[in-house]
Amino acid sequence: MTATTYLKQQAGPRAAGVARGRRGRRRARLIALLFVFPALLLLGALVVYPVLFSVGRSFFDATGTQFVGAGNYTEMFRDPATLKAIRNTAVWVVVAPALLTGLGLILAVLVEKVRWATAFKLLLFMPMAVSFLAAGIIFRLAYDEDPNKGVLNAAVVSVHDAFQGTPAYPTARGRAGLLTQDRDGSYRTTASTGQSVALPMVGVLPKDLPKNAAPAYPAAARQATPGELRGVVYLDFTPGGGGRPGKVDPKESGLPGMTVQALRDGRTVASATTAADGSFRLSGLRAGSYTVKLPKSDFAQPYQGVSWLGPALVTPAIIGAYLWIWTGFAMVLIGAGLSTLPRDALEAARMDGANEWQIFRRITVPLLAPVLTVVFVTLVINVMKVFDLVYIIAPGPVQEDATVLATQMWLVSFGGGNNQGLGSALGVLLLLLVIPAMVFNVRRFRRSQR
């Protein structure tokens, strides 16, 4: 047998084996494709087709019949509302992920030193189980300006009143024709030393009348001595009816805690606070005529707290609600990375004399850098798509001040604008902003897998 014949006999079975291997691989690919096809079909119907349709729709006008080319994109960057949405989205992207990553890192490190770490993690992670709709409603109520409804303003008002006190009688006003009201809301009259003066007030709510208030009639009968001014500030209202306007009747109550000032030549020369029966005494005065004044501080409106949902604070307030929801997520992910750190490196640093701050700054943070980056980029992607909280928490009058790209896209398309061409252009812009962060995350994931 020649060498050529031998090689031909050996090549036949080998070629058949190669052909069988190719057929097997083709069959395996076909089977894999059959299993993947439902997922690809679903992905195409829910993701690819809507994206392509939105890109095409962005080149047509509001009716969808006239091709306008890049007109929607040009209009988008000329619209003040869209520019404000871009600015607010930039604030979200810069502030929220950074704060969440920092809070998550700090809490993850601190939780390791807590005895009941699992319970603490569960407590912080629980807001993730609350829908954005429910969280928005919760914080809309918490941010209410009325201290009787909004828990934050209730706390702020309590602290303010503890240090500053509350106005004496915010609804009180002087009896017309007997007291003169100044432009700043204060009341005044004229009296001379050695006289007693009655200052009648009306409009005091029963809840504002102190429990220690006493009848003003005995105090009104007291006479002033030379060099002083005496008087009484009283509620010119007799319970049950009767009484004489401008006269202190036996059943009428004094108004304690009011500030009374004596002015001469525009300067305050004496001041006093009314007693329980509304009486006051201004002494050490030179003979002559004085202006007796009830300053505006006696009638100032009570402190109502902070306008959390006003134009200036609405975006930080909504970011605060977002932090409440997502802090647990950041803490758990960073905590998982923290648990994989080599403990021998930490112990070696402690043995070398490093304190906890040095260990945290020079060892823990550098070793956690990959995890921190993934958390940060994931939150950036999530923040760009935020819609629910902004739409629910921001009241109608400040909706435009709080709007982001997602809410602006909805408002332009369905919330009254009815311009789905411009809305599609906003959707394409949002997609273009999200894609770089998504690509970065995927590449980092592949590198970590390798």
Side-chain angles (χ1 to χ4, degrees):
M1 179 183 294
T2 64
T4 303
T5 304
Y6 177 78
L7 289 174
K8 288 182 179 179
Q9 291 177 350
Q10 294 297 322
R14 188 180 304 138
V18 171
R20 283 194 300 271
R22 289 176 179 172
R23 287 195 297 270
R25 286 193 294 272
R26 283 197 294 268
R27 188 181 299 109
R29 290 195 190 101
L30 181 60
I31 293 173
L33 184 61
L34 288 175
F35 276 104
V36 173
F37 181 74
L40 291 177
L41 184 64
L42 192 64
L43 185 66
L46 298 181
V47 177
V48 178
Y49 173 73
V51 168
L52 294 178
F53 180 84
S54 296
V55 172
R57 184 68 177 83
S58 67
F59 295 109
F60 289 83
D61 66 353
T63 63
T65 57
Q66 184 178 353
F67 182 79
V68 295
N72 286 322
Y73 294 93
T74 305
E75 181 183 353
M76 178 174 65
F77 288 105
R78 284 203 304 252
D79 183 16
T82 302
L83 295 177
K84 185 171 289 186
I86 294 173
R87 186 199 67 185
N88 287 340
T89 302
V91 171
W92 273 85
V93 169
V94 171
V95 175
L99 286 178
L100 279 170
T101 305
L103 283 172
L105 174 62
I106 294 171
L107 290 172
V109 172
L110 294 178
V111 161
E112 279 200 330
K113 306 180 183 300
V114 177
R115 182 176 181 184
W116 301 97
T118 303
F120 190 74
K121 288 181 180 179
L122 178 63
L123 185 65
L124 285 177
F125 197 79
M126 279 179 63
M128 285 292 298
V130 179
S131 69
F132 272 44
L133 174 65
I137 294 173
I138 291 170
F139 276 88
R140 178 69 179 269
L141 294 173
Y143 288 135
D144 198 294
E145 288 193 38
D146 186 353
N148 296 318
K149 297 178 182 178
V151 62
L152 290 178
N153 265 346
V156 170
V157 169
S158 298
V159 173
H160 174 273
D161 291 348
F163 289 96
Q164 298 292 332
T166 57
Y169 305 95
T171 61
R173 61 185 187 276
R175 172 69 75 178
L178 299 177
L179 294 178
T180 302
Q181 185 177 18
D182 293 330
R183 290 184 178 181
D184 63 355
S186 60
Y187 289 90
R188 58 183 171 82
T189 188
T190 303
S192 299
T193 52
Q195 288 185 345
S196 294
V197 58
L199 305 176
M201 307 299 296
V202 295
V204 178
L205 299 177
K207 67 180 183 65
D208 292 335
L209 193 64
K211 294 181 179 179
N212 66 333
Y217 186 75
R222 299 178 190 143
Q223 294 298 318
T225 60
E228 70 174 12
L229 277 171
R230 280 185 178 270
V232 62
V233 184
Y234 69 103
L235 177 58
D236 195 13
F237 170 77
T238 302
R244 297 162 297 170
K247 301 294 183 182
V248 183
D249 295 303
K251 293 183 179 181
E252 292 177 340
S253 174
L255 297 178
M258 295 194 73
T259 301
V260 184
Q261 299 173 341
L263 282 72
R264 195 169 196 180
D265 297 329
R267 295 184 300 105
T268 302
V269 295
S271 179
T273 302
T274 56
D277 56 2
S279 62
F280 63 89
R281 177 172 174 264
L282 300 168
S283 58
L285 302 177
R286 295 180 180 179
S289 179
Y290 291 85
T291 298
V292 181
K293 180 178 179 180
L294 297 175
K296 65 178 181 179
S297 58
D298 289 333
F299 315 105
Q301 292 299 312
Y303 180 68
Q304 293 296 315
V306 180
S307 181
W308 299 104
L309 299 181
L313 293 178
V314 62
T315 295
I318 301 173
I319 291 177
Y322 186 85
L323 295 180
W324 178 76
I325 297 173
W326 283 91
T327 297
F329 168 82
M331 180 198 67
V332 170
L333 260 65
I334 296 172
L338 194 62
S339 64
T340 63
L341 295 185
R343 300 296 165 179
D344 53 348
L346 303 179
E347 293 302 326
R350 291 189 178 95
M351 292 179 65
D352 289 341
N355 56 39
E356 293 300 321
W357 169 245
Q358 292 173 327
I359 293 173
F360 173 77
R361 185 165 59 92
R362 297 181 178 273
I363 299 178
T364 303
V365 172
L367 291 177
L368 281 177
V371 178
L372 296 176
T373 303
V374 170
V375 171
F376 181 82
V377 176
T378 302
L379 290 171
V380 166
I381 296 172
N382 190 277
V383 157
M384 285 187 184
K385 302 181 294 181
V386 68
F387 171 82
D388 316 58
L389 288 178
V390 177
Y391 184 73
I392 295 168
I393 295 179
V398 297
Q399 186 72 245
E400 187 174 327
D401 295 286
T403 187
V404 291
L405 281 175
T407 55
Q408 185 65 15
M409 178 180 65
W410 186 89
L411 291 170
V412 167
S413 302
F414 312 107
N418 296 324
N419 189 345
Q420 295 182 9
L422 181 58
S424 298
L426 283 167
V428 173
L429 173 64
L430 189 58
L431 176 66
L432 293 176
L433 292 175
V434 170
I435 284 177
M438 294 176 61
V439 171
F440 178 85
N441 238 6
V442 170
R443 286 184 175 178
R444 176 168 283 279
F445 178 74
R446 286 179 177 175
R447 285 198 299 268
S448 65
Q449 290 294 101
R450 289 197 295 267

